[in-house]
Each structure stands twice: as structure tokens, then as C-alpha cells.
Amino acid sequence: MKIEQQKRYRAWAEIDLSALEHNVNVVRGNLPSQTAFMAVVKANAYGHGDEAICKKLWELGVQWFAVSNLEEALAVRSFCPYSEIFILGYTPPEFAPELARNNIIQGVVSTEYAKQLQQFAHQPVRCHLKIDTGMGRIGFRYNTPDDCAAALKPLFGLEKLSIEGVYTHFAVADSMMPNDMMYTNNQQDFIIAIYDKLKESGCPVKHLHFMNSAATILRPNPRATLARVGIVMYGLQPNYMETDIRIPLKPVMSLRSVVSQVKTIQEGDSISYGRMYIAPSPRKIATVTIGYADGYARLLSNRAQAILHGKRCLVVGRVCMDQLMLDVTDVPTEIKPGDVVTMFGTDGNETITADELASIYDTIGYEVVCGISKRVPRDTINCNV
Ligand SMILES: *Cc1c(COP(=O)(O)O)cnc(C)c1O
């Protein structure tokens, strides 16, 4: 970023499009040749900024995009006019004409919903049928693939639905525990059986998809025509994965802020609300212009580290709405207002990941990046340009 621009910002998220390119290439290298890459860009591309991310992905040859709702779908349609856009979540059936007009594919979760879409549509709505094979969230839920396929068959008679695929979502694909792996196998067998049974009974569909990031990395399956890839594209670990997955990912987002003031405090002096931090000895403290209103969680108070001049420093005292304090006593270089602080990302030889922060307050990297708030500008960089 240009220095003048940086001075205006109190905190910003740096979005590295060359890291995105790297991750897409790594994931694609792991996919069976039959399986196309569907980029999951819901929630403003996991907080990274959907416009820059979608445009870059399209440039990289990604044609499929998944979002959570119509609003997001229309945004992607404006960035990538010729892409295939898939809505994973609920769209009120009244919007069937809007879906068709914008050539958006809708996930259909029940017979009732299918009939409602049929009722409101003027022209055929493209859709994939969502089967709940064990996630317990949305979808057709039956005990056996036979029962399920039998229930789906009549939907092919609805002339305002253009059914092009079936799909499901895994609950524990990120786990290598034997029971969890068996659970995922069962989910996978179930959806594949439905796909095959529909074909046998004269209702073939083109697409079959079930892999998320974890499954794409740990158990790529050539039966899938599409893989729905989210978190690893952004360079973070799938949900609960305890051991780092063995592919070289690069985090796309870094979060940076600046020092506003530096001071020295004496032994026994306290820092911030609640006086949670009491200096054990004279300390040098830097105030930084980022807080929980930016999405830097208050649960990180007195626990997380940030990087200043290539050195890790502890966040001391409570994180405030717009500011926090760092113990910079051990940073040997001179610190001035305006110096850049890396909340997560790389500075010199030190790296803090969103996953590291997530583990401190018992969540997942997904929530950290999605939680970076709207007032934090997204600043794209592209090392390849
Ligand atoms: C969010 C989502 C994904 C992507 O999950 P990752 O773990 O980020 O890869 C895939 N499928 C569905 C249905 C989702 O909701």
C-alpha cells in the first residue's frame, strides 16, 4: 500500500491475490480431472471482499461460485456475468423469477419448497436437490437411498424446475477419527447411491457434489463433478483439523494496524478497563488503533500476540472497541506513532495466522476472517503483478 494511504487508515485487511492463486492451483492439483472447482464465496468471500476475490478467480479460470443467498448471488453476477452461480441456502420462493432471470442455480431442500418454486416461477429455475445425509441442517431426509430417490422422482415432472444436480454436505469430513471417517463414508455412499438410482430410473442429473475443503484435501473422489471449496482457498485450515493438512497453503488475508502512542509505565501500573493487566516491572507500552469493533475479538485480551518490527508482542489488558495495548518492551528498535502492527499475517520472520488467534479463544479461523468488520478496508495486493 502507498504510504499516504496507509496513514489514513487505522486498520486494514491486506488481501493477497497471489496467495489466492497459489491456493487455487494447489487445490486444483489435488482434484480428480472429472471434478470442477466450485469456489465458495459466501459471506463476502469469507470476509475477504467478494468483488476482488471473484474477479481474480474468474481470471484464474474458475467458473463456478457458491453463495449463501440471493443478495450475494446478484453481487457475483455483477462481477462475473458469465459464471455459474449456486445458492447453497434459502431463497424465499417468491424470488423464483429473479433466480431464473439471473441464471442462478438454487438448492432445493424439500418437496414443499420445490412446489413453491414451481408456483412462483414464470420460466424454469435451475436447481440442485440438497439431500440431508447426516448434517442435520437442510435437505431431503430419508432413511435409505431408495426411499429418497423415490421421493425425488416426482419432482422431475415439475416443468418450472430444471433439476441439474444432487448434493449433500459432510458433518465431520475434517476428522480422521475412525468413527468420523465411517460417518463420512456413509454420507458419501448415500448421495452417490441417489445419483445412480436417479439415473437408473430415467431421471439422470448432470452434477453430483459432496466435497468441502476438508474432503477435497483428505478424500478427493472422482465421482463428484464439482467440489465446493471454501476455507483452504483462503489459506486456512478446515474446521477442527488438529494437525495441519499436508498441503502448502498461503493465508490470503493479513490484518494490520498502526501504533498511535508509546509510553513507559512503572511496576504496579495497570492497563485498560478492569485493570486486568498489572505491570510486573517497568514496561514499554504501545497503543494500537484496532479493537473489537474491527472484529479483533475482546476474548483475545491479555492472551494474543501481534507483530511489531518483526517481533511478537503480547496484547496487554482488555481489548477496547477501537484500540488495544501491546507490551513492546522487548522490541529493540525505536517505535514511533504510525508504525505498522501485524495482528495476523507476516512481518519479517514472524507469522501469526488467523487459525492461531482462533485457537486462543476456542473458535475456528473461519470465524476470525468472517468477523473482520465492515469498517476495516480491504486492500488488495498482488505480488505477481
Ligand atoms: C460453506 C460451505 C462449504 C465450504 O466449506 P469449507 O469448509 O469452507 O470448504 C461447502 N458446502 C456448503 C454447503 C457450505 O455451506
Side-chain angles (χ1 to χ4, degrees):
M1 190 189 327
K2 290 191 192 70
I3 195 82
E4 316 85 71
Q5 211 176 347
Q6 189 173 299
K7 281 196 167 151
R8 242 189 24 235
Y9 290 157
R10 37 182 298 286
W12 66 97
E14 198 176 276
I15 306 301
D16 183 352
L17 297 179
S18 59
L20 179 72
E21 177 168 359
H22 168 88
N23 298 334
V24 168
N25 288 336
V26 167
V27 175
R28 272 177 172 161
N30 209 54
L31 276 181
S33 59
Q34 299 88 328
T35 312
F37 188 103
M38 182 191 268
V40 182
V41 294
K42 64 194 181 196
N44 194 26
Y46 289 36
H48 291 63
D50 52 5
E51 179 165 4
I53 296 288
C54 290
K55 286 179 173 169
K56 179 69 180 183
L57 289 169
W58 180 257
E59 217 179 278
L60 296 173
V62 173
Q63 295 178 344
W64 285 85
F65 295 86
V67 295
S68 78
N69 62 48
L70 182 57
E71 199 80 14
E72 293 176 355
L74 294 175
V76 176
R77 179 55 77 226
S78 74
F79 310 139
C80 304
Y82 306 107
S83 60
E84 294 283 26
I85 303 172
F86 183 69
I87 297 183
L88 301 159
Y90 180 68
T91 302
E94 294 83 346
F95 290 95
E98 194 81 1
L99 290 169
R101 193 168 340 118
N102 292 284
N103 191 27
I104 290 163
I105 305 166
Q106 174 63 44
V108 167
V109 300
S110 67
T111 299
E112 187 194 5
Y113 182 65
K115 287 183 174 160
Q116 288 171 337
L117 277 182
Q118 162 81 11
Q119 181 196 331
F120 284 103
H122 307 315
Q123 46 178 324
V125 176
R126 299 175 66 191
C127 62
H128 292 190
L129 304 176
K130 172 73 181 280
I131 317 302
D132 180 3
T133 60
M135 175 68 179
R137 192 166 66 179
I138 49 172
F140 293 85
R141 197 176 171 108
Y142 289 91
N143 289 331
T144 67
D146 279 318
D147 291 350
C148 189
L152 300 180
K153 254 196 97 174
L155 305 181
F156 288 78
L158 299 172
E159 70 279 8
K160 296 278 176 52
L161 286 194
S162 171
I163 302 171
E164 301 176 0
V166 292
Y167 70 111
T168 195
H169 193 45
F170 290 151
V172 284
D174 50 340
S175 168
M176 300 292 268
M177 303 283 282
N179 279 346
D180 290 339
M181 288 172 72
M182 203 153 31
Y183 196 85
T184 306
N185 287 341
N186 288 338
Q187 285 196 269
Q188 182 175 285
D189 292 347
F190 200 109
I191 192 69
I192 292 174
I194 287 169
Y195 178 82
D196 290 339
K197 279 176 200 307
L198 287 176
K199 190 171 185 176
E200 282 162 27
S201 62
C203 301
V205 292
K206 185 164 178 203
H207 289 292
L208 167 63
H209 46 111
F210 43 82
M211 293 183 283
N212 53 5
S213 286
T216 300
I217 303 307
L218 297 176
R219 42 185 304 147
N221 186 309
R223 290 299 312 273
T225 63
L226 295 163
R228 304 187 305 267
V229 182
I231 200 71
V232 292
M233 184 170 78
Y234 305 103
L236 299 176
Q237 299 291 316
N239 302 32
Y240 305 110
M241 239 175 232
E242 270 157 23
T243 49
D244 279 7
I245 52 174
R246 284 153 301 259
I247 61 164
L249 298 172
K250 294 185 181 172
V252 174
M253 184 193 289
S254 302
L255 182 65
R256 315 228 194 241
S257 184
V258 294
V259 171
S260 60
Q261 190 178 358
V262 189
K263 62 177 167 289
T264 301
I265 61 169
Q266 301 309 315
E267 179 181 337
D269 287 353
S270 65
I271 295 290
S272 196
Y273 293 121
R275 307 190 63 211
M276 240 178 125
Y277 176 82
I278 307 286
S281 57
R283 311 304 295 173
K284 196 179 348 168
I285 302 292
T287 302
V288 182
T289 57
I290 191 168
Y292 62 76
D294 302 294
Y296 192 85
R298 190 168 171 277
L299 286 167
L300 294 168
S301 298
N302 254 345
R303 299 162 86 186
Q305 295 177 328
I307 314 170
L308 178 61
H309 295 187
K311 277 268 196 190
R312 281 177 176 253
C313 306
L314 200 62
V315 172
V316 286
R318 289 245 168 87
V319 172
C320 308
M321 191 184 292
D322 314 310
Q323 307 180 71
L324 56 79
M325 275 62 77
L326 285 183
D327 180 350
V328 298
T329 311
D330 296 334
V331 178
T333 41
E334 190 205 346
I335 300 162
K336 309 176 298 304
D339 287 357
V340 173
V341 179
T342 299
M343 309 312 295
F344 58 83
T346 296
D347 173 9
N349 295 326
E350 288 289 352
T351 297
I352 293 173
T353 62
D355 289 321
E356 175 184 331
L357 293 187
S359 70
I360 293 175
Y361 62 112
D362 204 15
T363 184
I364 52 180
Y366 298 65
E367 190 176 357
V368 173
V369 288
C370 288
I372 301 307
S373 70
K374 210 167 160 182
R375 89 167 169 190
V376 177
R378 271 64 174 173
D379 185 48
T380 51
I381 60 168
N382 198 337
C383 300
N384 290 347
V385 170

